[in-house]
Amino acid sequence: PYDLVGLLDYLINNDYTTLELYKTLQNNNIRFLGVDGNFYFSNNKIERDLQVLQIKDGQVKVISKQK
């Protein structure tokens, strides 16, 4: 659900038409900000560039990123 909200936010803020939406979702070079790293679409599947997060005293710190 977090990724969906991020995707919808991106699409709404850029005033995408339906055709632009389809083109965007088919472009795996476009990354969307997710709760635990970026995500994108490839071959009709969601792929991720995950991050390892440390949460301490209410603060989030990125420990490492998947490349």
Side-chain angles (χ1 to χ4, degrees):
Y2 294 105
D3 293 344
L4 176 59
V5 170
L7 176 59
L8 290 174
D9 177 67
Y10 179 87
L11 297 172
I12 289 169
N13 285 325
N14 289 293
D15 293 324
Y16 274 43
T17 65
T18 304
L19 179 59
E20 291 169 324
L21 166 64
Y22 289 127
K23 287 181 180 179
T24 299
L25 296 180
Q26 292 173 2
N27 183 346
N28 61 5
N29 292 318
I30 298 176
R31 302 292 201 259
F32 302 97
L33 181 61
V35 69
D36 56 0
N38 295 330
F39 67 97
Y40 57 97
F41 295 88
S42 177
N43 297 321
N44 294 323
K45 293 186 280 183
I46 294 177
E47 300 286 338
R48 299 180 166 282
D49 299 326
L50 292 175
Q51 298 174 337
V52 177
L53 307 175
Q54 177 185 37
I55 301 173
K56 183 177 179 180
D57 299 325
Q59 300 295 316
V60 177
K61 179 180 177 183
V62 177
I63 302 297
S64 69
K65 296 179 183 182
Q66 177 187 25
K67 295 180 183 182

